[in-house]
Amino acid sequence: MGEPESVTNGVTAGSGAAADNAADNADDADSLFVLTAALLTPARFPTVLGDDYPESCAALGIGPRTDGYGLVFGQDGTGARWTVVIDDVSLVAVAIASWDCGMKYDLSPDERSVIRVLPGWPLAVATSAPGLPAPHDPAPEEDSPPPLTPPDGTAWGPAQRRLGADLVALQWAEWRARMGGDGEGAENEAGPEGPSGAEGAGTGDGSPGPYRTVRQVLEELAGYVEKPPPVGRVRSAFGGGEAHVLRADGPGWSLVARTDDMAFVLLDDAPHEVLPVTRGPRLPALLTALDALAVRPG
């Protein structure tokens, strides 16, 4: 159907007062000047890190906690990038909410809340602390892990596929408008053809076409209903009225759907493509069942 305009997912939400004061404290190499933050919880985590919450925690070398973590992204006095994992989830949630409202908030984690400090950033943070050198990875130290790096925006793989699905969820109205109509009709999984009648029966080289893979994805999702997957594989968020927006991931695929509408699927094997699944006789029941097992923001 098309491709997401961007899958880099640069983080731009707010910068704390510490960053505003960086120029006055640039000689303090041990200080962390906070730029922004993110939540790492079962219902809300940076999808660049993994398909589910435990996998995302493992990517940072930490174990999953029921309450989750906060991720703080900043620079030290030399300009080096650092990611700080803290257990004070409420502090990070309040900071993000304040920044989203255009308010300043000085996010200053207590040292006792720090779980781990990692070099680099896993996300493409789109701001920097004034008065400091440009963001860069710190010099490697003995036994230190390699720096975290954001996904390559020119490539396509699991991280880019998940970020693409996140973007479709954020821009649902735009992607839905490209479909036209009311979303009713034959489900793509119900027959051998996709919306245009192309590629449903294969690609001509013996490999399955993308819509055959989409049908396999829907079968895997039905399997989630029978045997719940790791926490965070299926997430639900308020979509207006009584509808919810679903995000689900699995090996090689991501799904975005509204419980009152249709779905879109992205695949590792179909770079940049957003494949629609129209609302037929079986999709509504599947989405309702997935919504019932999904985790939701607290």
Side-chain angles (χ1 to χ4, degrees), residues 158-181:
Q160 291 85 355
R161 174 252 302 163
R162 292 188 294 264
L163 289 174
D166 292 344
L167 193 65
V168 171
L170 287 173
Q171 300 176 349
W172 176 269
E174 176 183 336
W175 284 93
R176 184 63 182 83
R178 297 188 188 189
M179 279 294 295

Side-chain angles (χ1 to χ4, degrees), residues 82-105:
W82 295 95
T83 297
V84 180
V85 183
I86 66 173
D87 61 13
D88 194 340
V89 180
S90 297
L91 177 67
V92 172
V94 170
I96 292 173
S98 299
W99 296 334
D100 285 347
C101 293
M103 301 167 58
K104 286 190 175 182
Y105 189 91

Side-chain angles (χ1 to χ4, degrees), residues 188-213:
N188 293 326
E189 77 271 22
E193 297 182 346
S196 64
E199 298 185 308
T203 61
D205 61 0
S207 60
Y211 279 98
R212 179 171 295 177
T213 306

Side-chain angles (χ1 to χ4, degrees), residues 4-285:
E5 295 177 1
S6 170
V7 293
T8 57
N9 201 39
V11 176
T12 58
S15 80
D20 296 334
N21 298 327
D24 298 329
N25 299 280
D27 57 341
D28 187 354
D30 293 330
S31 294
L32 181 74
F33 305 103
V34 176
L35 300 176
T36 190
L39 291 175
L40 176 61
T41 68
R44 186 176 174 185
F45 53 87
T47 56
V48 295
L49 297 174
D51 283 330
D52 52 53
Y53 173 61
E55 186 175 306
S56 298
C57 290
L60 300 178
I62 55 178
R65 294 174 69 244
T66 301
D67 295 336
Y69 301 92
L71 303 180
V72 178
F73 308 113
Q75 293 176 264
D76 65 19
T78 70
R81 295 181 280 243
W82 295 95
T83 297
V84 180
V85 183
I86 66 173
D87 61 13
D88 194 340
V89 180
S90 297
L91 177 67
V92 172
V94 170
I96 292 173
S98 299
W99 296 334
D100 285 347
C101 293
M103 301 167 58
K104 286 190 175 182
Y105 189 91
D106 184 2
L107 176 54
S108 301
D110 189 298
E111 291 184 1
R112 292 172 296 181
S113 70
V114 174
I115 301 298
R116 194 170 192 204
V117 179
L118 296 162
W121 295 331
L123 307 175
V125 178
T127 187
S128 60
L132 295 182
H136 60 275
D137 290 333
E141 298 180 359
E142 186 177 356
D143 297 328
S144 65
L148 300 169
T149 58
D152 182 356
T154 65
W156 183 263
Q160 291 85 355
R161 174 252 302 163
R162 292 188 294 264
L163 289 174
D166 292 344
L167 193 65
V168 171
L170 287 173
Q171 300 176 349
W172 176 269
E174 176 183 336
W175 284 93
R176 184 63 182 83
R178 297 188 188 189
M179 279 294 295
D182 58 6
E184 297 292 340
E187 288 172 301
N188 293 326
E189 77 271 22
E193 297 182 346
S196 64
E199 298 185 308
T203 61
D205 61 0
S207 60
Y211 279 98
R212 179 171 295 177
T213 306
V214 167
R215 291 195 291 274
Q216 295 170 353
V217 167
L218 296 171
E219 290 174 2
E220 288 188 42
L221 284 165
Y224 283 1
V225 177
E226 298 298 325
K227 182 179 179 181
V231 64
R233 281 280 176 99
V234 184
R235 306 178 297 286
S236 177
F238 178 67
E242 297 183 358
H244 292 151
V245 176
L246 292 176
R247 271 286 285 110
D249 297 287
W253 57 265
S254 294
L255 174 134
V256 186
R258 276 182 61 104
T259 52
D260 64 345
D261 200 357
M262 56 179 296
F264 294 98
V265 171
L266 288 82
L267 305 171
D268 284 355
D269 294 337
H272 306 289
E273 287 295 314
V274 180
L275 307 170
V277 182
T278 53
R279 190 174 177 85
R282 290 182 289 180
L283 186 65

